[in-house]
């Protein structure tokens, strides 16, 4: 059974850094296209960053240069390093595994999701 468990979310001041982790079980993340999404209250879930099975990465314009997605295939963990955090980065962060063709930033193309970890950035 596929399971994704996120951790690392905290309350931080603007300008700070956090590293989120997503531990996967039931399958190997090395073979999947993985992504991080976030959802703020009252807003739609949006794609933040993605990493291909081969290691290629993609980012939302709003986080380019500040966030870095990576993975540890040996330990089956996905990471999201977040630097220079802004209040608008606040939200619940989810990791997900892509299950069908389509835009990486579209949540409908992802079939497995974690329960999320909360990130709150105060000004």
């Amino acid at each position: 059974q596929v399971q994704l468990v996120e951790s690392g979310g905290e309350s931080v001041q603007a300008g700070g850094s956090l590293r989120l982790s997503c531990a996967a079980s039931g399958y190997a993340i090395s073979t999947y296209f993985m992504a991080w999404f976030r959802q703020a209250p009252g807003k739609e879930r949006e794609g933040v960053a993605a990493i291909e099975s081969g290691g290629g990465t993609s980012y939302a314009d709003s986080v380019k240069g500040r966030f870095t997605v990576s993975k540890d295939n040996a330990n089956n963990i996905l990471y999201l390093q977040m630097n220079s955090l802004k209040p608008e980065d606040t939200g619940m962060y989810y990791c997900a595994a892509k299950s069908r063709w389509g835009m990486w930033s579209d949540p409908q193309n992802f079939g497995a999701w974690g329960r999320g970890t909360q990130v709150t950035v105060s000004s």
Side-chain angles (χ1 to χ4, degrees), residues 4-29:
L4 299 170
V5 179
E6 302 93 337
S7 62
E10 291 182 14
S11 294
V12 297
Q13 295 271 347
S17 297
L18 284 175
R19 188 176 80 159
L20 305 184
S21 299
C22 171
S25 60
Y27 73 103
I29 64 170

Side-chain angles (χ1 to χ4, degrees), residues 25-80:
S25 60
Y27 73 103
I29 64 170
S30 60
T31 62
Y32 276 80
F33 189 112
M34 303 292 298
W36 287 95
F37 288 80
R38 67 186 178 192
Q39 188 165 20
K43 294 189 176 182
E44 293 186 353
R45 193 168 296 190
E46 63 172 349
V48 174
I51 186 164
E52 302 171 7
S53 58
T57 57
S58 300
Y59 297 92
D61 288 344
S62 58
V63 307
K64 279 181 183 176
R66 300 188 298 122
F67 290 12
T68 302
V69 60
S70 62
K71 58 181 179 174
D72 179 348
N73 289 334
N75 292 298
N76 227 23
I77 301 174
L78 179 72
Y79 297 105
L80 184 68

Side-chain angles (χ1 to χ4, degrees), residues 84-98:
S84 301
L85 282 161
K86 304 175 181 180
E88 51 264 43
D89 295 319
T90 294
M92 186 70 78
Y93 282 70
Y94 302 89
C95 65
K98 201 165 183 283

